[in-house]
Amino acid sequence: MQGEHRIVRARVSGTVQGVSYRVWTRGEAMRLGLTGWVRNERDGSVAALIAGADAAVTAMIERLWQGPRGALVSKVEIEEAADDAPMDFRIIV
């Protein structure tokens, strides 16, 4: 997917910890050719930095609403970011 480069921060709330949400996110991001990271937050949400072609980032945002089997997403908050993304997609502990 080509187009303008975009970087966003995402926070996903609901039943998103203990259901392999981070592993699923990393796999989906890699399939879309994205870079960034994903991590669990203390409040039970999952945070991510997602970078890549605008169309791929938009597709990933849509997928965040689905998540893996067992996830129940109640909210996805997105904000544009100016961070530098890593060259790959990482799970941060």
Side-chain angles (χ1 to χ4, degrees):
M1 295 184 170
Q2 296 184 9
E4 293 293 316
H5 188 78
R6 182 178 178 198
I7 303 173
V8 299
R9 285 187 174 274
R11 181 172 299 269
V12 184
S13 301
T15 305
V16 292
Q17 290 190 16
V19 294
S20 298
Y21 199 95
R22 292 177 301 160
V23 172
W24 175 87
T25 299
R26 182 176 182 266
E28 293 297 308
M30 291 174 68
R31 276 188 274 289
L32 290 168
L34 298 168
T35 62
W37 51 259
V38 61
R39 70 175 176 227
N40 285 340
E41 296 292 336
R42 290 184 184 196
D43 66 1
S45 66
V46 169
L49 179 76
I50 302 165
D54 183 46
V57 171
T58 299
M60 186 66 199
I61 292 168
E62 292 170 6
R63 292 179 190 191
L64 291 175
W65 279 99
Q66 299 169 358
R69 181 181 306 249
L72 181 57
V73 177
S74 61
K75 183 169 29 171
V76 176
E77 299 171 273
I78 302 296
E79 67 179 44
E80 300 298 320
D83 304 44
D84 288 329
M87 297 302 293
D88 56 3
F89 202 93
R90 303 175 183 172
I91 295 174
I92 297 176
V93 180

